[in-house]
Amino acid sequence: MALREEKKRATRTGLADAAMTLFAEKGFDKVTVAEVARAANVSVNTAFNYFPTKEDLFFDRQDEVANRLAAAVRDREPGESAAAAIRRAFLDRVRRDDPTLGLSPGATTFWRLIDDSPALQARLRRLGEQTETALAEALAEATDTSPDDPTARLAAAALAGLDRALHAEIRRATLAGADPETVRATVIRAATDGFDTAVAGLADYATRR
């Protein structure tokens, strides 16, 4: 079973890597899934089994990204509020250079591909919506509130909005050619200030007892 899972992971990684190479060479909209499959030495059906759409090939870690804020809330420490947990998780990702942040020197290509493709822009917006929805569900669970209570949705909108704004700053600075370490330092300051405000406003909200 372990060998089978390892082979599946290798196939998935191979497809994602082949796709990004082709996207960088030709642009997202000019590459077909069939081309990616050939480059990865698998059948087209296999490619679609792992990635149902071409956008999924580009955002190959989208499930992880969509659930990261909700995961931070569910993993909060005793006495820690939801906002404080999300701040801690974000700063940890920045400091350990999580690849989904786009802080690496090669991230410029990633962001430019998105800017050049309406399909990728639409998927990025959808990913943001999925992240906010997952966070609202985690907050409702953490506060044991009714599905009809809008508080969790409103808190999720505020926290997810701050998270999106920080990612937008990373994208803007990276595309402007800023050094990754400079971007990192700037984002840490901005995140600390922004989340300090959020933590103050939501000081007791969804605090784990």
Side-chain angles (χ1 to χ4, degrees):
M1 182 65 73
L3 183 60
R4 182 181 179 185
E5 289 302 314
E6 183 178 337
K7 184 177 180 180
K8 288 171 67 175
R9 282 195 297 271
T11 300
R12 181 181 177 85
T13 300
L15 278 163
D17 289 348
M20 191 55 68
T21 297
L22 288 170
F23 294 154
E25 290 175 355
K26 301 181 179 182
F28 177 80
D29 295 328
K30 294 181 179 179
V31 175
T32 66
V33 175
E35 288 178 278
V36 174
R38 282 196 298 272
N41 294 313
V42 300
S43 69
V44 175
N45 284 342
T46 296
F48 278 120
N49 284 338
Y50 282 88
F51 299 98
T53 70
K54 191 168 68 167
E55 290 80 5
D56 293 329
L57 275 163
F58 185 87
F59 292 109
D60 62 299
R61 300 181 66 172
Q62 61 187 337
D63 290 342
E64 174 189 340
V65 170
N67 288 295
R68 59 192 166 71
L69 300 185
V73 170
R74 294 191 172 102
D75 294 340
R76 68 197 187 286
E77 299 173 352
E80 187 174 44
S81 70
I86 290 173
R87 173 181 61 186
R88 177 170 56 82
F90 180 85
L91 290 173
D92 176 66
R93 288 173 62 232
V94 173
R95 289 173 177 134
R96 61 183 168 83
D97 199 18
D98 188 299
T100 63
L101 284 170
L103 272 168
S104 66
T108 301
T109 299
F110 178 84
W111 294 123
R112 284 179 176 160
L113 282 167
I114 293 175
D115 284 349
D116 291 340
S117 172
L120 290 179
Q121 292 170 29
R123 175 56 68 89
L124 188 61
R125 287 192 295 271
R126 179 181 168 192
L127 188 54
E129 293 168 358
Q130 291 172 330
T131 301
E132 186 174 320
T133 297
L135 175 57
E137 292 171 354
L139 291 173
E141 175 187 312
T143 55
D144 194 25
T145 52
S146 163
D148 296 329
D149 188 336
T151 305
R153 293 191 295 275
L154 295 174
L159 292 168
L162 176 54
D163 180 78
R164 280 195 298 272
L166 289 168
H167 282 79
E169 282 302 305
I170 292 173
R171 177 179 181 173
R172 182 198 60 76
T174 300
L175 286 173
D179 176 74
E181 290 307 313
T182 301
V183 178
R184 188 190 320 280
T186 300
V187 169
I188 287 175
R189 286 195 300 272
T192 300
D193 292 343
F195 276 116
D196 279 352
T197 301
V199 170
L202 297 166
D204 297 320
Y205 182 69
T207 297
R208 171 157 282 172
R209 306 303 177 186

